Amino acid sequence: MPELPFTLDQLRILKAIAAQGSFKKAADILYVTQPAVSLQIQNLEKQLEITIFDRGGRKALLTEAGTLLLEYCERILNQCDEACKAIEDLNSLKGGTLVIGASQTTGTYLMPRMIGLFRQKYPEVSVQLQVHSTRRTGWSVANGQIDLAIIGGQLPGDLENLLQVIPYATDELALVLPAKHPLSNKKELLKEDLYKLNFVTLDSQSTTRKVVDKLLKDSGLDIQRLKIEMELNSLEAIKNAVQSGLGASFLPVVSIERELDAGTINKVSIADLEVKRELKLITNPSRYTSKASEVFKKNILPQFASLESPLRHIEI
Amino acid sequence: MPELPFTLDQLRILKAIAAQGSFKKAADILYVTQPAVSLQIQNLEKQLEITIFDRGGRKALLTEAGTLLLEYCERILNQCDEACKAIEDLNSLKGGTLVIGASQTTGTYLMPRMIGLFRQKYPEVSVQLQVHSTRRTGWSVANGQIDLAIIGGQLPGDLENLLQVIPYATDELALVLPAKHPLSNKKELLKEDLYKLNFVTLDSQSTTRKVVDKLLKDSGLDIQRLKIEMELNSLEAIKNAVQSGLGASFLPVVSIERELDAGTINKVSIADLEVKRELKLITNPSRYTSKASEVFKKNILPQFASLESPLRHIEI
DNA sequence: TATTTGAATAACTAAAATTTATGGAGATTC
DNA sequence: GAATCTCCATAAATTTTAGTTATTCAAATA
């Protein structure tokens, strides 16, 4: 090893002697014996080819070279202390960045609340939320750009194996109708009733739309026969459209809590049909997990998870 | 020992890995084996309770904590390098201060030339010249305020034992007369001729004056009978007085070289009387000797020493 | 002069880093 | 897609380094 001419311990000893004015006192405050101190200083002097202390008199006095070295010594040790503090802060979540990925729905309605809770507990950790498609989010988690993400759609097969996918919550996609719609006060609709409705939907590329289409098809409905009034690319826009009486839609319940409370939208169930999807937590097990990420997973997510979620019971 | 959470070697390894992107390459550069690098990083990670490198992919990538640590790491190592350079400079006489003591005469006529030569060789060492009485110079050497000094007088007894005193050169105190003085073209004066002269002398406290008085008295002269025209406290003033024809004086030859060449002053020898004193080099053997001081003693002083000086022959 | 105090030294012990040798996991090559 | 290559981790043994106890030495104090 192409050696450095000194060690941090030697610098610490140097500093202590300079402060105490004595090898013995320095040894005492460093909790070592006096010879240990003597030897280390001798090594230091040998390696730097200088004399550091004048051991003549009552006190150990710094020579010119010693004074020079002490200046650097103090700077170096201060930097070390700072480094330690910074690392401690990072460990105790007083710093760092947590990057969270989410799809449109969770990113808009779920994440803000979660992140709010997290930031309340750990205000010094900055959190970044990236809302992307399921596919892109998956890739970002895979290559470490995102620490953890919640997705509602299906991952491409290769990613599915690479990443850790944990069922997190069930998101109901409820059929919602304008408050004044003739069918909106019925207790339960029949599947066939859907053909009578005009739909306002997300555009056909969106994950949520795909999920809904698939579920309806799987339940035996002919989705070609469903009348689509218009396709919009924003849940908020759809909500407004529904509230304005333009049509019906399948929307995540998390996105319409306020409207249901206000009664401006009605949610109607359908016989023999549950439009639900699994929200899944994805992480990259082969990558470094930051403390912030761990804490978010362990402490924040479970509070918002549905009862069946493994996160409720399992230590992750 | 209340330990530091890392060593400089660990930081060096961290830096190398970050630069090379690989444990193995870092090991090669540092001339150690790969396991040594791995283990040190593992220790570092354990002690700081962080993960520093992401060993997943092709390259070893820094984690967030690793990036943070690296910043401090570079700063710390830079400071270390600087410290080394500063010490090297000091060792190779590219810095530091040399404090030289001298009495009036040597300080005025000898030292400037010596220091000039020294500064020519080692321009980065700053030199400080302190002109004081022999006694005060002795004390300053004793307590380390002066690295080395040349004195012409006698040290107090206690200091004489404490310090190292090396005969350095012989300083002739020549009798000088105004160029136009009636006796000035005589080859040699008799002691009795001195009673006919008017003297311009240094004040009676000065070392040189004391030395001259003692030597004259020792040679059998009655110094009370010598006529003293005036006492001045500066050799230059005396020289001017002599040149102006105000009287004679005993002056160190080193101080009148130019005037002798110019013929404005005549130097006259006296039968059976040599007014000479030993110039002595004094140092403090129980104190740290700076490189600059060593070099001055070994390389500069001998060039100005008289032939009999031990400095010519003896390794100090 | 005797005593005390602080630092140096020596011999021994404990701890730490380094090496050699080996195993495993992910890329690379044919 | 099996074989190979690279790179990192691990284990055991070795060397190096740091630390301790016991003692000596020198200077300062009383």
Side-chain angles (χ1 to χ4, degrees), chain A residues 3-50:
Chain A
E3 315 199 347
L4 281 167
F6 47 78
T7 69
L8 286 177
D9 278 331
Q10 287 171 339
L11 296 187
R12 265 171 15 103
I13 292 173
L14 164 61
K15 187 180 166 188
I17 300 175
Q20 300 296 319
S22 142
F23 282 43
K24 184 161 178 33
K25 284 179 193 159
D28 291 344
I29 58 171
L30 293 172
Y31 301 106
V32 287
T33 54
Q34 169 264 315
V37 170
S38 282
L39 289 173
Q40 283 303 332
I41 293 298
Q42 283 173 33
N43 289 342
L44 191 53
E45 291 184 322
K46 221 173 287 171
Q47 293 193 287
L48 294 176
E49 300 177 52
I50 55 173

Side-chain angles (χ1 to χ4, degrees), chain A residues 131-152:
Chain A
V131 175
H132 295 300
S133 69
T134 295
R135 169 181 248 87
R136 177 156 172 202
T137 299
W139 274 110
S140 293
V141 171
N143 64 28
Q145 289 165 357
I146 287 178
D147 291 310
L148 84 174
I150 288 185
I151 53 170

Side-chain angles (χ1 to χ4, degrees), chain A residues 103-293:
Chain A
S103 56
Q104 190 67 39
T105 310
T106 46
T108 309
Y109 303 101
L110 198 56
M111 280 305 170
R113 280 185 275 165
M114 288 194 189
I115 293 172
L117 182 61
F118 180 84
R119 296 268 312 164
Q120 198 176 313
K121 287 193 179 176
Y122 310 104
E124 327 244 359
V125 180
S126 68
V127 178
Q128 201 181 319
L129 175 65
Q130 295 196 3
V131 175
H132 295 300
S133 69
T134 295
R135 169 181 248 87
R136 177 156 172 202
T137 299
W139 274 110
S140 293
V141 171
N143 64 28
Q145 289 165 357
I146 287 178
D147 291 310
L148 84 174
I150 288 185
I151 53 170
Q154 187 65 25
L155 280 174
D158 48 348
L159 284 179
E160 190 123 62
N161 300 323
L162 193 60
L163 303 180
Q164 185 180 36
V165 182
I166 301 175
Y168 163 62
T170 302
D171 181 32
E172 187 189 349
L173 294 157
L175 175 64
V176 294
L177 299 174
K180 51 206 179 221
H181 193 278
L183 293 177
S184 87
N185 38 12
K186 278 213 173 182
K187 231 185 190 169
E188 201 176 55
L189 298 188
L190 300 174
K191 286 184 193 170
E192 288 70 32
D193 290 330
L194 295 178
Y195 296 125
K196 306 176 193 159
L197 295 169
N198 286 327
F199 282 96
V200 182
T201 73
L202 279 167
D203 68 274
S204 54
Q205 291 311 304
S206 99
T207 304
T208 304
R209 168 71 182 279
K210 285 184 194 163
V211 169
V212 172
D213 280 3
K214 183 168 186 298
L215 285 168
L216 295 181
K217 201 155 85 182
D218 288 352
S219 79
L221 286 162
D222 176 7
I223 57 172
Q224 305 296 338
R225 282 183 57 199
L226 296 171
K227 277 174 284 183
I228 294 175
E229 193 74 19
M230 55 180 123
E231 295 189 349
L232 301 172
N233 66 358
S234 140
L235 288 173
E236 286 303 313
I238 295 174
K239 274 158 60 176
N240 286 330
V242 173
Q243 284 177 283
S244 310
L246 292 176
S249 189
F250 284 96
L251 292 175
V253 287
V254 290
S255 70
I256 50 169
E257 285 179 354
R258 245 191 298 277
E259 287 76 11
L260 290 177
D261 286 347
T264 57
I265 282 186
N266 279 359
K267 171 183 148 191
V268 186
S269 53
I270 304 165
D272 298 326
L273 179 60
E274 281 203 322
V275 188
K276 285 183 177 176
R277 63 168 170 182
E278 285 295 313
L279 294 183
K280 284 156 286 189
L281 167 68
I282 60 173
T283 54
N284 187 338
S286 64
R287 287 229 166 232
Y288 159 69
T289 305
S290 73
K291 295 268 170 183
S293 176

Side-chain angles (χ1 to χ4, degrees), chain A residues 93 98 114 117-118 121-122 148 166 168 281 283 289-305 310-316:
Chain A
L93 298 166
L98 175 63
M114 288 194 189
L117 182 61
F118 180 84
K121 287 193 179 176
Y122 310 104
L148 84 174
I166 301 175
Y168 163 62
L281 167 68
T283 54
T289 305
S290 73
K291 295 268 170 183
S293 176
E294 269 177 35
V295 166
F296 195 91
K297 215 156 126 183
K298 269 197 217 161
N299 302 341
I300 308 297
L301 283 177
Q303 301 197 33
F304 293 86
L311 281 172
R312 283 252 174 211
H313 315 291
I314 298 169
E315 192 76 345
I316 302 167

